[in-house]
Amino acid sequence: ALLGADVIHVESIQKIDGSRSVGGTFASQHEAWWECSFIYLSTNTNKRGITLDLSNPKGMKILESLIKGADALVENFSPRVMDAFGLDWERVQALNPRCHYVRMPAFGLDGPWSEHVGFAATMEQMAGLSWLTGHQDDQPRIQRGPCDPLAGVHAAFALLVAMAERDASGRGHFLECAMIEAALNVTAEQVAEYTAYGNLMERQGNRSPEAAPQGLYPCQGHHVSEDPQWLALSVQNDAQWQALVDWLGAPAWAQAIGTGLAARRAEHDIIDKELSQLFAQRDLGASVDELLSAGIPAARIADPRALTTHPQLVERGFMEEVDHPVVGLQSTMGAPFRFASVDRWLRRAAPTLGQHNREILGELGYGPEDIEKLEAEKIIGQWPEGV
């Protein structure tokens, strides 16, 4: 949709898009709380929305009508869902030989785990991402969602390749994009390290094998301020370390560590203890300015609430405002790339539930009376059932 495709988001009033549930935290502020999910709002810009009860033959007939004129059908249920609807590759091909069919199951369409469902957190644990996240003396930590967009981007890339090939062959393609396999591509480094060198990579907290000291340190007022006062520091070479020692006033403990990355890594616990005590008594802004002036890599940890006003992002026009009928104006991230021919990527807000029912059905030849009957039978609608 970002690149200009007419993407129709299909859900139903019987089972709304699961990502809408996050909007429940706004139930006391908005009657239509399912329209307030930041996940749904961020990932469905530029799309049109229709509700269809696919368990009803009339709803399935409408979806099949859409498939007849579509370039691609994309779904990410467990395999049994679309199979139960009778929408296998053969059926899609019969409806439209030029239509691509992209299926995005958690673990693949076959194999002993094919019917298992999964979300981002599932993949992050199974692929080994969580194994590397967290502190060494603590449990593995899930990353809270990167495998969702990773799976989506992999599938989008595969679809674009298929569409380019269709320009030559004229036929649609069946694409299987298992979520776990996209996640495993990200953890390839761990696999290579172990199989090639027997090196089991471990959690290091905020530390790095290529820098020491490296970490996050709370500054003065951190525990009483509504604005967290975290300072990030990363010393990569001897020159930066010596500059830090000088900035510290050359204390005996720092001089005793000596030079070299290996020596600093070996004494990282001591360095962290001393730096934590120091920065707890110092102002964050002043410390960052002084460290940078001395040639020492340091920065204030960014509060995500401030991203919309960050001068670099503002100048680049990365955040774009879209006007949503329920939540109003919202700043939403645009594309992480630039086209000289595109001034604005986000053309419309994410659709409300069933927002484009009449528009899309009208394009398919349904008249006002037909649409009213579909609403009466709850095949389409704009309000979740049971709410």
Side-chain angles (χ1 to χ4, degrees):
L2 190 81
L3 295 174
D6 177 17
V7 177
I8 298 174
H9 176 269
V10 182
E11 54 188 323
S12 70
I13 61 172
Q14 290 78 17
K15 290 186 177 181
I16 60 176
D17 185 322
S19 70
R20 289 184 180 274
S21 62
V22 179
T25 57
F26 297 95
S28 63
Q29 302 172 43
H30 295 281
E31 183 182 19
W33 52 261
W34 54 88
E35 304 294 359
C36 304
S37 162
F38 67 91
I39 297 177
Y40 176 83
L41 294 171
S42 298
T43 57
N44 289 285
T45 52
N46 295 338
K47 301 177 186 178
R48 295 195 290 169
I50 188 172
T51 51
L52 293 174
D53 179 5
L54 298 182
S55 65
N56 188 300
K58 293 181 180 179
M60 180 56 65
K61 180 182 178 181
I62 294 169
L63 179 61
E64 291 188 341
S65 295
L66 288 171
I67 293 171
K68 290 177 182 178
D71 288 296
L73 170 65
V74 183
E75 63 89 12
N76 69 339
F77 294 110
S78 62
R80 62 179 175 270
V81 176
M82 297 302 272
D83 292 346
F85 287 141
L87 277 175
D88 55 16
W89 173 231
E90 289 71 26
R91 180 56 180 161
V92 172
Q93 278 279 283
L95 292 167
N96 181 356
R98 288 180 56 82
C99 184
H100 302 298
Y101 191 9
V102 183
R103 303 195 65 178
M104 303 169 61
F107 298 100
L109 296 174
D110 52 19
W113 279 48
S114 61
E115 291 298 338
H116 289 4
V117 296
F119 298 88
T122 318
M123 304 306 142
E124 286 144 22
Q125 295 175 75
M126 288 203 62
L129 284 171
S130 298
W131 180 258
L132 289 185
T133 306
H135 293 279
Q136 195 170 29
D137 58 351
D138 198 2
Q139 67 190 39
R141 300 285 181 178
I142 59 172
Q143 291 76 21
R144 300 289 300 276
C147 285
D148 278 337
L150 282 171
V153 170
H154 276 74
F157 176 77
L159 176 57
L160 290 173
V161 173
M163 295 186 76
E165 199 283 334
R166 191 188 64 182
D167 291 343
S169 69
R171 294 195 63 82
H173 293 279
F174 183 42
L175 309 175
E176 180 189 356
C177 303
M179 196 176 185
I180 185 63
E181 292 167 11
L184 285 168
N185 271 275
V186 180
T187 55
E189 182 184 12
Q190 295 182 63
V191 177
E193 282 286 338
Y194 186 74
T195 56
Y197 310 113
N199 176 27
L200 179 63
M201 297 175 69
E202 299 278 6
R203 295 181 295 285
Q204 299 184 64
N206 293 310
R207 296 179 182 180
S208 165
E210 300 174 354
Q214 175 171 288
L216 304 179
Y217 306 95
C219 290
Q220 189 177 54
H222 172 75
H223 299 292
V224 296
S225 172
E226 293 184 3
D227 182 16
Q229 302 292 296
W230 287 105
L231 181 144
L233 181 73
S234 182
V235 174
Q236 294 180 299
N237 54 49
D238 287 343
Q240 293 171 359
W241 169 245
Q242 188 57 53
L244 179 61
V245 171
D246 294 341
W247 182 79
L248 292 168
W253 68 264
Q255 295 185 65
I257 290 172
T259 60
L261 176 61
R264 299 196 302 275
R265 280 178 57 82
E267 303 297 337
H268 213 307
D269 288 344
I270 292 175
I271 298 173
D272 276 349
K273 178 182 177 181
E274 296 291 345
L275 291 180
S276 294
Q277 292 175 353
L278 171 78
F279 286 121
Q281 306 302 318
R282 290 187 59 92
D283 178 74
L284 172 58
S287 296
V288 170
D289 290 343
E290 292 174 18
L291 289 166
L292 291 177
S293 296
I296 305 162
R300 175 194 292 267
I301 292 297
D303 185 331
R305 293 171 294 182
L307 287 178
T308 57
T309 57
H310 192 285
Q312 179 66 16
L313 297 178
V314 170
E315 177 67 23
R316 295 273 294 166
F318 180 58
M319 307 294 290
E320 297 180 15
E321 280 196 334
V322 289
D323 194 4
H324 189 273
V326 176
V327 302
L329 283 175
Q330 54 167 337
S331 290
T332 305
M333 294 181 183
F337 44 79
R338 295 288 178 270
F339 285 5
S341 58
V342 178
D343 295 325
R344 180 179 174 85
W345 292 103
L346 305 184
R347 302 178 301 280
R348 69 169 104 198
T352 57
L353 187 65
Q355 180 178 346
H356 302 100
N357 284 348
R358 290 180 175 273
E359 179 180 305
I360 295 169
L361 290 170
E363 293 169 2
L364 294 176
Y366 286 79
E369 292 185 3
D370 300 321
I371 296 173
E372 288 176 7
K373 289 180 181 178
L374 292 170
E375 287 181 337
E377 295 176 44
K378 296 187 177 180
I379 295 167
I380 63 171
Q382 294 183 293
W383 198 268
E385 271 199 334
V387 175

